[in-house]
Coordinates of all heavy atoms in Angstrom, one line a residue:
V27 N 98.9 109.7 108.2 CA 98.8 110.7 107.1 C 98.3 109.9 105.7 O 97.5 110.5 105.2 CB 100.2 111.3 106.8 CG1 99.9 112.3 105.6 CG2 100.7 112.0 108.1
L28 N 98.7 108.7 105.6 CA 98.3 108.1 104.4 C 96.9 107.3 104.5 O 96.3 107.0 103.6 CB 99.3 107.1 104.0 CG 100.8 107.5 103.7 CD1 101.7 106.3 103.4 CD2 100.7 108.5 102.6
S29 N 96.3 107.3 105.8 CA 95.0 106.7 106.0 C 94.0 107.3 105.2 O 94.0 108.6 105.1 CB 94.7 106.5 107.3 OG 94.6 107.7 108.0
G30 N 93.1 106.7 104.7 CA 92.0 107.1 103.8 C 92.3 107.3 102.4 O 91.4 107.2 101.6
W31 N 93.5 107.2 102.0 CA 93.9 107.1 100.7 C 93.6 105.7 99.9 O 93.1 105.7 98.9 CB 95.2 107.4 100.4 CG 95.6 108.9 100.6 CD1 94.6 109.8 101.1 CD2 96.8 109.6 100.5 NE1 95.3 111.0 101.2 CE2 96.6 111.0 100.9 CE3 98.1 109.2 100.1 CZ2 97.6 111.8 100.9 CZ3 99.1 109.9 100.2 CH2 99.0 111.3 100.4
G32 N 93.7 104.8 100.7 CA 93.6 103.3 100.1 C 92.2 103.1 99.5 O 92.1 102.4 98.5
M33 N 91.2 103.7 100.1 CA 89.9 103.5 99.6 C 89.6 104.0 98.2 O 88.7 103.7 97.5 CB 88.7 104.2 100.6 CG 89.0 105.6 100.7 SD 88.1 106.2 102.2 CE 86.4 105.7 101.9
H34 N 90.6 104.9 97.8 CA 90.4 105.6 96.5 C 91.2 104.8 95.3 O 91.1 105.2 94.1 CB 90.8 107.0 96.6 CG 90.0 107.8 97.4 ND1 88.7 108.1 97.3 CD2 90.5 108.3 98.7 CE1 88.3 108.9 98.4 NE2 89.2 109.0 99.2
I35 N 92.0 103.9 95.7 CA 92.8 103.1 94.8 C 92.1 102.1 94.0 O 91.3 101.3 94.5 CB 94.1 102.5 95.4 CG1 95.0 103.6 96.1 CG2 94.8 101.7 94.4 CD1 96.3 102.9 96.8
V36 N 92.1 102.1 92.6 CA 91.2 101.3 91.9 C 92.1 100.4 90.9 O 93.4 100.7 90.7 CB 90.2 102.0 91.2 CG1 89.3 102.8 92.0 CG2 90.9 102.9 90.1
K37 N 91.6 99.3 90.5 CA 92.4 98.6 89.5 C 91.6 98.6 88.2 O 90.4 98.5 88.1 CB 92.4 97.1 89.9 CG 93.2 96.2 88.8 CD 93.5 94.7 89.4 CE 94.3 94.1 88.4 NZ 94.9 92.7 88.9
F38 N 92.4 99.1 87.1 CA 91.8 99.4 85.8 C 91.6 98.0 85.0 O 92.4 97.0 85.3 CB 92.5 100.4 85.0 CG 92.4 101.7 85.6 CD1 93.4 102.0 86.6 CD2 91.4 102.6 85.3 CE1 93.3 103.4 87.2 CE2 91.4 103.8 85.8 CZ 92.3 104.2 86.8
S39 N 90.9 97.9 83.9 CA 90.6 96.8 83.3 C 91.9 96.2 82.5 O 92.0 95.1 82.2 CB 89.4 96.9 82.3 OG 89.7 98.0 81.4
C40 N 92.9 97.2 82.3 CA 94.0 96.9 81.6 C 95.0 96.2 82.5 O 96.1 95.7 82.2 CB 94.6 98.1 80.9 SG 95.2 99.4 81.9
G41 N 94.8 96.4 83.9 CA 95.8 96.0 84.9 C 96.6 97.0 85.7 O 97.1 96.8 86.7
C42 N 96.4 98.3 85.2 CA 96.9 99.5 85.9 C 96.3 99.6 87.1 O 95.1 99.4 87.4 CB 96.9 100.7 85.1 SG 97.9 100.9 83.7
I43 N 97.1 100.1 88.2 CA 96.4 100.3 89.6 C 96.8 101.8 89.9 O 98.0 102.2 89.6 CB 97.1 99.3 90.6 CG1 96.7 97.9 90.3 CG2 96.7 99.8 92.0 CD1 97.3 96.8 91.1
G44 N 95.9 102.5 90.4 CA 96.1 103.9 90.8 C 94.9 104.5 91.1 O 93.9 103.9 91.7
F45 N 94.9 105.9 90.8 CA 93.6 106.6 91.2 C 92.9 107.2 89.8 O 93.5 107.7 89.1 CB 94.2 107.9 91.9 CG 94.9 107.7 93.2 CD1 96.2 107.3 93.4 CD2 94.0 107.6 94.5 CE1 96.8 107.0 94.5 CE2 94.6 107.4 95.6 CZ 95.9 107.0 95.7
A46 N 91.7 107.0 89.9 CA 90.9 107.3 88.8 C 90.5 108.7 88.6 O 89.4 109.1 88.8 CB 89.6 106.3 88.7
F47 N 91.4 109.6 88.6 CA 91.1 111.0 88.6 C 90.7 111.3 87.0 O 91.0 110.6 86.1 CB 92.5 111.8 88.8 CG 92.8 111.8 90.2 CD1 94.3 111.5 90.4 CD2 92.0 111.8 91.3 CE1 94.7 111.4 91.8 CE2 92.4 111.7 92.6 CZ 93.8 111.4 92.9
E48 N 90.0 112.4 86.9 CA 89.7 113.0 85.7 C 90.4 114.1 85.3 O 90.6 115.0 86.3 CB 88.2 113.3 85.7 CG 87.2 112.2 85.8 CD 87.3 111.1 84.6 OE1 87.6 111.6 83.6 OE2 86.7 110.1 84.9
P49 N 90.8 114.4 84.2 CA 90.7 113.5 82.9 C 91.5 112.5 82.8 O 91.4 111.6 82.0 CB 90.7 114.5 81.8 CG 91.8 115.5 82.3 CD 91.4 115.6 83.6
Q50 N 92.7 112.5 83.7 CA 93.7 111.4 83.5 C 93.9 110.8 84.9 O 93.9 111.4 85.8 CB 95.0 112.1 83.1 CG 95.1 112.5 81.7 CD 96.5 112.8 81.2 OE1 97.2 113.7 81.6 NE2 97.0 112.1 80.2
A51 N 94.1 109.5 84.8 CA 94.4 108.6 85.9 C 95.8 108.7 86.3 O 96.7 108.8 85.5 CB 94.1 107.3 85.6
L52 N 96.0 108.7 87.7 CA 97.4 108.7 88.2 C 97.7 107.2 88.4 O 97.2 106.6 89.4 CB 97.6 109.4 89.4 CG 99.0 109.3 90.2 CD1 100.0 109.8 89.2 CD2 98.9 110.0 91.4
V53 N 98.6 106.6 87.7 CA 98.9 105.2 87.7 C 100.1 105.0 88.6 O 101.2 105.6 88.4 CB 99.2 104.6 86.3 CG1 99.7 103.2 86.4 CG2 97.9 104.7 85.5
L54 N 99.9 104.2 89.7 CA 101.1 103.9 90.6 C 101.7 102.6 90.2 O 103.0 102.5 90.4 CB 100.6 103.8 92.1 CG 99.8 104.9 92.7 CD1 99.2 104.6 94.1 CD2 100.9 106.0 92.9
D55 N 101.0 101.8 89.6 CA 101.6 100.4 89.2 C 100.9 100.1 87.8 O 99.9 99.8 87.6 CB 101.1 99.4 90.2 CG 101.9 98.0 89.9 OD1 102.7 98.0 89.0 OD2 101.6 97.1 90.6
A56 N 101.9 100.4 86.7 CA 101.4 100.4 85.4 C 101.4 98.9 84.9 O 102.2 98.0 85.2 CB 102.3 101.2 84.5
C57 N 100.4 98.5 84.1 CA 100.3 97.3 83.7 C 101.4 96.7 82.7 O 101.7 95.7 82.8 CB 99.0 97.1 82.9 SG 98.8 98.1 81.5
D58 N 102.1 97.7 82.1 CA 103.3 97.5 81.3 C 104.6 97.9 81.9 O 105.6 98.0 81.3 CB 103.1 98.0 80.0 CG 102.7 99.6 80.2 OD1 102.8 100.1 81.2 OD2 102.7 100.2 79.1
A59 N 104.6 98.1 83.3 CA 105.8 98.5 83.9 C 106.9 97.5 83.9 O 106.7 96.2 83.8 CB 105.5 98.8 85.4
D60 N 108.1 97.8 83.9 CA 109.4 97.0 84.0 C 109.3 96.5 85.4 O 109.5 97.2 86.4 CB 110.6 97.8 83.7 CG 111.8 97.0 83.8 OD1 111.6 95.8 84.1 OD2 112.9 97.5 83.5
R61 N 109.1 95.2 85.4 CA 109.0 94.6 86.8 C 110.4 94.6 87.6 O 110.5 94.2 88.7 CB 108.6 93.1 86.7 CG 107.1 93.0 86.2 CD 106.2 93.7 87.3 NE 104.9 94.0 86.7 CZ 104.0 94.7 87.3 NH1 104.2 95.1 88.6 NH2 102.8 94.8 86.9
C62 N 111.5 94.9 86.9 CA 112.8 95.0 87.5 C 112.8 96.2 88.2 O 113.8 96.5 89.2 CB 113.9 94.8 86.5 SG 114.0 93.3 85.7
D63 N 112.0 97.2 87.9 CA 112.1 98.6 88.5 C 111.7 98.4 90.1 O 110.4 98.0 90.3 CB 111.1 99.5 87.9 CG 111.3 101.1 88.4 OD1 111.6 101.1 89.7 OD2 111.0 101.9 87.6
P64 N 112.4 98.8 91.1 CA 111.9 98.5 92.5 C 110.8 99.4 92.8 O 110.1 99.1 93.7 CB 113.2 99.0 93.3 CG 113.9 99.8 92.4 CD 113.7 99.3 90.9
Y65 N 110.6 100.5 92.0 CA 109.4 101.4 92.3 C 108.3 101.4 91.2 O 108.8 101.4 90.1 CB 109.9 102.7 92.7 CG 110.7 102.9 94.0 CD1 112.1 103.2 93.9 CD2 110.2 102.8 95.1 CE1 112.8 103.3 94.9 CE2 111.0 102.8 96.3 CZ 112.3 103.1 96.2 OH 113.1 103.2 97.3
P66 N 107.3 101.4 91.5 CA 106.3 101.6 90.4 C 106.4 103.0 89.8 O 106.8 103.9 90.5 CB 104.7 101.5 91.1 CG 105.2 101.1 92.5 CD 106.5 101.3 92.9
S67 N 106.2 103.0 88.5 CA 106.4 104.3 87.8 C 105.2 105.0 88.0 O 104.1 104.6 87.9 CB 106.7 104.1 86.4 OG 105.7 103.1 85.8
H68 N 105.3 106.3 88.4 CA 104.3 107.1 88.6 C 103.9 108.0 87.3 O 104.8 108.6 86.9 CB 104.5 108.1 89.7 CG 104.6 107.5 91.1 ND1 103.9 107.7 92.2 CD2 105.5 106.5 91.5 CE1 104.2 107.0 93.2 NE2 105.3 106.2 92.8
M69 N 102.8 107.9 86.9 CA 102.6 108.6 85.7 C 101.0 108.8 85.6 O 100.3 108.2 85.9 CB 103.2 107.9 84.4 CG 102.6 106.5 84.4 SD 103.2 105.7 82.8 CE 105.0 105.7 83.1
W70 N 100.7 109.9 84.8 CA 99.3 110.2 84.5 C 99.1 109.6 83.0 O 99.9 109.7 82.2 CB 99.2 111.8 84.3 CG 99.5 112.5 85.5 CD1 100.6 113.1 86.0 CD2 98.6 112.7 86.5 NE1 100.5 113.5 87.0 CE2 99.2 113.4 87.6 CE3 97.2 112.3 86.8 CZ2 98.4 113.7 88.7 CZ3 96.6 112.6 87.9 CH2 97.2 113.4 88.9
R71 N 97.9 109.0 83.1 CA 97.5 108.2 81.8 C 96.1 108.5 81.5 O 95.3 108.6 82.6 CB 97.8 106.8 82.0 CG 99.2 106.3 82.0 CD 99.1 104.7 81.9 NE 100.7 104.4 81.8 CZ 101.0 103.1 81.5 NH1 100.1 102.2 81.1 NH2 102.2 102.8 81.5
D72 N 95.8 108.5 80.3 CA 94.4 108.6 79.9 C 93.8 107.1 79.8 O 94.0 106.5 78.8 CB 94.2 109.1 78.6 CG 92.8 109.4 78.1 OD1 91.9 109.0 78.9 OD2 92.5 110.0 77.0
L73 N 93.1 106.9 80.9 CA 92.5 105.5 80.9 C 90.9 105.5 80.9 O 90.2 104.8 81.4 CB 92.9 104.8 82.2 CG 94.4 104.4 82.4 CD1 94.7 103.9 83.7 CD2 94.8 103.5 81.2
S74 N 90.5 106.7 80.2 CA 89.0 107.0 80.2 C 88.3 105.8 79.5 O 87.0 105.8 79.7 CB 88.7 108.4 79.7 OG 89.4 108.4 78.3
D75 N 88.9 105.1 78.6 CA 88.2 104.0 77.9 C 88.3 102.7 78.6 O 87.7 101.7 78.2 CB 88.8 103.8 76.6 CG 90.3 103.4 76.6 OD1 91.0 103.9 77.6 OD2 90.8 102.8 75.7
K76 N 88.9 102.8 79.9 CA 89.0 101.6 80.7 C 88.0 101.6 81.9 O 87.5 102.6 82.2 CB 90.3 101.4 81.4 CG 91.5 101.5 80.3 CD 91.6 100.2 79.6 CE 92.9 100.2 78.7 NZ 93.1 101.4 77.8
T77 N 87.5 100.5 82.3 CA 86.7 100.3 83.4 C 87.6 100.0 84.7 O 88.8 99.7 84.4 CB 85.6 99.1 83.3 OG1 86.5 97.9 83.1 CG2 84.8 99.3 82.2
Y78 N 87.1 100.3 85.8 CA 87.8 100.0 87.0 C 87.0 99.6 88.1 O 85.8 99.7 88.0 CB 88.7 101.3 87.3 CG 87.9 102.5 87.7 CD1 87.3 102.5 88.8 CD2 87.8 103.3 86.7 CE1 86.6 103.8 89.1 CE2 87.1 104.6 87.0 CZ 86.5 104.8 88.1 OH 85.7 105.8 88.4
E79 N 87.7 99.0 89.1 CA 86.7 98.5 90.2 C 87.8 98.8 91.5 O 89.1 98.9 91.3 CB 86.5 97.1 90.2 CG 87.9 96.2 90.0 CD 87.3 94.8 89.8 OE1 86.4 94.5 89.1 OE2 88.2 93.7 90.1
P80 N 87.3 98.9 92.6 CA 88.1 99.3 93.8 C 89.0 98.1 94.1 O 88.8 97.0 93.9 CB 87.0 99.3 94.9 CG 85.7 99.6 94.3 CD 85.9 98.9 93.0
L81 N 90.2 98.5 94.5 CA 91.3 97.5 94.7 C 90.8 97.0 96.2 O 90.5 97.8 97.0 CB 92.6 98.1 94.8 CG 93.8 97.3 94.6 CD1 93.8 96.5 93.4 CD2 95.1 98.2 94.8
D82 N 91.2 95.8 96.4 CA 90.9 95.2 97.8 C 91.9 95.8 98.7 O 93.0 96.3 98.4 CB 91.0 93.6 97.8 CG 92.3 93.0 97.6 OD1 93.1 93.2 98.5 OD2 92.6 92.6 96.5
E83 N 91.5 95.7 100.0 CA 92.1 96.6 101.0 C 93.6 96.2 101.2 O 94.4 97.0 101.4 CB 91.4 96.5 102.3 CG 91.6 97.4 103.3 CD 90.9 97.2 104.6 OE1 89.8 96.9 104.5 OE2 91.4 97.5 105.7
S84 N 93.9 95.0 101.1 CA 95.2 94.6 101.4 C 96.1 95.0 100.3 O 97.3 95.5 100.5 CB 95.3 93.0 101.6 OG 95.1 92.2 100.5
A85 N 95.7 94.9 99.0 CA 96.5 95.3 97.9 C 96.6 96.8 98.0 O 97.8 97.2 97.5 CB 95.8 95.0 96.6
A86 N 95.6 97.6 98.3 CA 95.6 99.0 98.5 C 96.7 99.3 99.4 O 97.5 100.4 99.3 CB 94.2 99.6 98.7
R87 N 96.7 98.6 100.6 CA 97.7 99.0 101.6 C 99.1 98.7 101.1 O 100.0 99.5 101.4 CB 97.4 98.0 102.9 CG 98.0 98.5 104.2 CD 97.8 97.7 105.3 NE 96.3 97.6 105.6 CZ 95.5 96.4 105.6 NH1 96.2 95.3 105.7 NH2 94.4 96.4 105.9
D88 N 99.3 97.8 100.3 CA 100.7 97.5 99.7 C 101.1 98.7 98.9 O 102.2 99.0 99.0 CB 100.6 96.2 98.8 CG 100.6 94.9 99.7 OD1 100.9 95.0 100.8 OD2 100.3 93.9 99.1
L89 N 100.1 99.2 98.1 CA 100.6 100.4 97.3 C 100.9 101.5 98.2 O 101.8 102.3 97.9 CB 99.3 100.6 96.4 CG 99.4 100.3 95.0 CD1 100.5 101.1 94.2 CD2 99.8 98.8 94.8
L90 N 100.1 101.7 99.2 CA 100.4 102.9 100.1 C 101.8 102.7 100.8 O 102.4 103.7 101.1 CB 99.2 103.0 101.1 CG 97.9 103.5 100.6 CD1 96.9 103.6 101.5 CD2 98.2 104.9 99.9
T91 N 102.1 101.4 100.9 CA 103.4 101.1 101.7 C 104.5 101.8 100.6 O 105.5 102.3 101.0 CB 103.7 99.7 101.9 OG1 102.7 99.3 102.8 CG2 105.1 99.4 102.3
V92 N 104.4 101.5 99.3 CA 105.2 102.0 98.3 C 105.4 103.5 98.5 O 106.4 104.1 98.3 CB 104.9 101.6 96.9 CG1 105.7 102.1 95.8 CG2 104.9 100.0 96.9
V93 N 104.1 104.1 98.5 CA 104.1 105.6 98.6 C 104.9 106.0 99.8 O 105.7 107.0 99.7 CB 102.7 106.1 98.6 CG1 102.6 107.7 99.0 CG2 101.9 105.8 97.4
A94 N 104.8 105.4 101.0 CA 105.5 105.6 102.2 C 106.9 105.6 101.9 O 107.7 106.4 102.5 CB 105.0 104.8 103.4
E95 N 107.4 104.5 101.2 CA 108.7 104.4 100.9 C 109.4 105.5 100.1 O 110.4 106.0 100.2 CB 109.0 103.1 100.2 CG 108.9 101.8 101.2 CD 108.9 100.5 100.3 OE1 109.0 100.6 99.2 OE2 108.9 99.5 101.0
L96 N 108.5 106.0 99.1 CA 108.9 107.1 98.4 C 109.2 108.3 99.2 O 110.2 109.0 99.1 CB 107.8 107.5 97.3 CG 107.8 106.6 96.1 CD1 106.6 107.0 95.3 CD2 109.0 106.8 95.2
V97 N 108.3 108.5 100.3 CA 108.6 109.5 101.2 C 109.8 109.4 101.9 O 110.7 110.2 102.1 CB 107.3 109.8 102.2 CG1 107.6 110.8 103.3 CG2 106.0 110.1 101.3
D98 N 110.2 108.2 102.4 CA 111.3 107.8 103.1 C 112.5 108.0 102.4 O 113.6 108.3 102.8 CB 111.4 106.4 103.7 CG 110.2 106.2 104.9 OD1 109.9 107.1 105.5 OD2 110.0 105.0 105.1
D99 N 112.4 107.9 100.9 CA 113.4 107.9 100.1 C 113.8 109.2 99.7 O 114.7 109.5 98.9 CB 113.0 107.0 98.8 CG 114.2 106.5 98.1 OD1 115.2 106.2 98.7 OD2 114.1 106.4 96.8
G100 N 113.2 110.3 100.3 CA 113.7 111.7 100.1 C 112.7 112.5 99.4 O 113.0 113.7 99.4
H101 N 111.7 112.0 98.9 CA 110.6 112.8 98.3 C 109.9 113.3 99.5 O 109.5 112.7 100.5 CB 109.7 111.9 97.5 CG 110.0 111.4 96.3 ND1 111.0 110.3 96.3 CD2 110.0 111.6 95.0 CE1 111.4 110.1 95.1 NE2 110.7 110.8 94.3
S102 N 109.7 114.7 99.5 CA 108.9 115.3 100.6 C 107.5 114.8 100.6 O 107.0 114.5 99.5 CB 109.1 116.9 100.6 OG 108.1 117.4 99.6
L103 N 107.0 114.6 101.9 CA 105.6 114.2 102.0 C 104.7 115.2 101.2 O 103.7 114.9 100.5 CB 105.2 114.1 103.3 CG 103.8 113.5 103.7 CD1 103.6 112.3 103.0 CD2 103.6 113.5 105.2
R104 N 105.1 116.5 101.2 CA 104.3 117.4 100.6 C 104.1 117.2 99.1 O 103.1 117.3 98.4 CB 104.7 119.0 100.8 CG 103.9 120.1 100.4 CD 104.6 121.4 100.4 NE 105.0 121.7 101.8 CZ 105.8 122.8 102.1 NH1 106.1 123.5 101.1 NH2 106.1 123.0 103.3
D105 N 105.4 116.9 98.5 CA 105.3 116.6 97.2 C 104.5 115.4 96.7 O 103.7 115.3 95.7 CB 106.8 116.3 96.6 CG 107.6 117.6 96.6 OD1 106.9 118.7 96.7 OD2 108.8 117.6 96.4
V106 N 104.6 114.4 97.5 CA 103.9 113.2 97.3 C 102.4 113.3 97.4 O 101.6 112.9 96.8 CB 104.3 112.1 98.2 CG1 103.5 110.8 98.0 CG2 105.8 111.7 97.8
R107 N 102.1 114.2 98.5 CA 100.7 114.6 98.8 C 100.1 115.1 97.5 O 98.9 115.1 96.9 CB 100.4 115.3 99.9 CG 100.2 114.5 101.2 CD 99.7 115.3 102.3 NE 98.3 115.9 102.2 CZ 97.3 115.1 102.6 NH1 97.4 114.1 103.4 NH2 96.0 115.7 102.6
R108 N 100.9 116.3 97.0 CA 100.4 116.9 95.9 C 100.2 116.1 94.7 O 99.3 116.4 93.9 CB 101.5 118.0 95.5 CG 101.0 119.1 94.5 CD 102.1 120.1 94.2 NE 102.5 120.9 95.4 CZ 103.7 121.1 95.8 NH1 104.7 120.6 95.1 NH2 103.9 121.9 96.7
L109 N 101.0 115.0 94.5 CA 100.9 114.1 93.5 C 99.5 113.3 93.6 O 99.0 113.0 92.6 CB 102.2 113.2 93.5 CG 102.3 112.2 92.3 CD1 102.6 113.0 91.0 CD2 103.4 111.3 92.6
L110 N 99.4 112.9 94.9 CA 98.1 112.1 95.1 C 96.9 112.8 95.2 O 95.7 112.2 94.9 CB 98.5 111.2 96.3 CG 99.6 110.2 96.1 CD1 99.8 109.4 97.4 CD2 99.3 109.2 95.1
V111 N 96.9 113.9 95.8 CA 95.7 114.8 96.1 C 95.8 116.1 95.3 O 96.1 117.2 95.9 CB 95.5 115.0 97.5 CG1 94.2 115.5 97.7 CG2 95.6 113.7 98.4
P112 N 95.5 116.1 94.1 CA 95.6 117.4 93.2 C 94.6 118.5 93.8 O 93.6 118.0 94.3 CB 95.3 116.9 91.8 CG 95.1 115.4 91.8 CD 95.0 115.1 93.2
Ligands
LIG222 ZN1 97.2 99.9 81.9

């Protein structure tokens, strides 16, 4: 179900990792996130002034693993999909 999403994950110039949606990016791993938090904080951010480049495949896979854990953790897959694919 998650295959195909990895190619859309990018790394922004500030260090955030997520999806470069318009007008706001969905950040899965924030550059200023609390590293003690076991899960990346999911949030919409205006990163339109940042540049970004595709995340390499293994790093993207790691992120998708986190998404899968969110699903396992009780978030319905439909909710997570809605978050990732507006
Ligand atoms: Zn950032």
Side-chain angles (χ1 to χ4, degrees):
V27 178
L28 299 178
S29 63
W31 290 357
M33 63 200 299
H34 300 297
I35 296 179
V36 300
K37 180 168 186 173
F38 294 89
S39 55
C40 65
C42 286
I43 295 171
F45 295 85
F47 295 136
E48 296 290 342
Q50 287 194 302
L52 175 61
V53 174
L54 294 174
D55 190 5
C57 56
D58 54 0
D60 181 353
R61 292 297 164 188
C62 296
D63 189 334
Y65 296 108
S67 49
H68 294 238
M69 55 178 64
W70 295 96
R71 290 189 177 196
D72 181 358
L73 297 175
S74 54
D75 60 332
K76 306 290 193 298
T77 60
Y78 59 83
E79 58 189 29
L81 200 62
D82 69 74
E83 196 181 321
S84 64
R87 199 178 300 127
D88 287 347
L89 255 293
L90 290 178
T91 298
V92 172
V93 172
E95 284 172 358
L96 283 171
V97 174
D98 287 344
D99 203 35
H101 296 70
S102 79
L103 182 59
R104 188 190 303 171
D105 286 347
V106 175
R107 265 190 79 87
R108 189 182 298 133
L109 187 69
L110 294 176
V111 188

